[in-house]
C-alpha cells in the first residue's frame, strides 16, 4: 500500500498473471476487516465483503469476487459508504463484523427488525465514538 497525505492507493497484484489493479481512496486507509463469511455471487463467483476505515472518518464497504476457474480475475465494487453526516469526525481505528454465531442470536432476539441481506459492522474512532451500521447487500 502506498499512502500520501491526501490519498491512499491500495494495489492488488495477481500472483498468477502479474497484472496490477488499484483502488484509490480519498484518505489514508487506517482499518480493514473482511466479513466472516463468503457470499455466493449470482454468476457463480465467490464473493467477499470488505470494510475499509479511513483517516478522514469515512467507512467504505466493498464487494470483492473471484472465480475458482480463473483466480487471477478479481472484480470489486464499492457497495456502500458513510456520508458526511454518518461518518466519524476523526480517524477510524478499528472495524468489526458481527459473527455468524452472534448473528443467529441476534436473529432469534430481533427477527422482525433485521432486513434480508443485511449485515452489521461496528467501527470505532479517535473521536471516542462507536458506530454500528446495518448494510444491505
Amino acid at each position: 500500500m502506498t499512502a500520501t497525505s491526501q490519498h491512499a492507493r491500495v494495489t492488488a497484484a495477481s500472483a498468477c498473471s502479474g497484472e496490477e489493479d488499484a483502488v484509490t481512496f480519498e484518505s489514508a486507509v487506517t482499518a480493514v476487516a473482511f466479513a466472516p463469511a463468503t457470499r455466493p455471487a449470482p454468476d457463480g463467483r465467490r464473493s467477499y465483503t470488505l470494510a475499509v476505515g479511513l483517516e478522514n472518518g469515512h467507512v467504505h464497504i466493498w464487494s470483492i469476487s473471484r472465480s475458482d476457474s480463473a483466480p487471477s480475475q478479481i472484480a470489486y465494487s464499492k457497495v456502500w459508504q458513510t456520508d458526511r453526516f454518518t461518518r466519524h469526525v476523526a480517524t477510524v481505528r478499528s472495524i468489526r463484523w458481527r459473527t455468524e454465531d452472534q448473528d443467529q442470536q441476534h436473529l432469534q432476539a430481533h427477527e422482525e427488525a433485521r432486513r434480508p441481506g443485511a449485515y452489521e459492522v461496528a467501527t470505532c474512532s479517535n473521536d471516542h465514538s462507536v458506530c454500528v451500521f446495518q448494510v444491505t447487500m
Side-chain angles (χ1 to χ4, degrees), residues 30-97:
T30 56
V32 295
F34 277 97
T38 60
R39 296 178 297 110
D43 60 358
R45 298 168 65 95
R46 189 175 301 184
S47 182
Y48 304 89
T49 304
L50 176 69
V52 179
L54 303 178
E55 186 175 48
N56 65 3
H58 281 284
V59 176
H60 295 194
I61 307 293
W62 289 80
S63 178
I64 302 166
S65 62
R66 70 174 180 83
S67 171
D68 287 335
S69 61
S72 64
Q73 295 178 355
I74 299 172
Y76 51 86
S77 62
K78 183 168 38 174
V79 295
W80 181 84
Q81 74 177 37
T82 53
D83 59 31
R84 66 183 187 165
F85 301 110
T86 59
R87 73 175 183 90
H88 290 281
V89 295
T91 302
V92 175
R93 286 295 174 202
S94 184
I95 299 174
R96 180 83 177 206
W97 289 92

Side-chain angles (χ1 to χ4, degrees), residues 11-35:
T11 303
S14 169
C16 298
S17 66
E19 296 173 2
E20 190 176 285
D21 207 0
V23 177
T24 302
F25 294 91
E26 70 270 13
S27 183
V29 173
T30 56
V32 295
F34 277 97

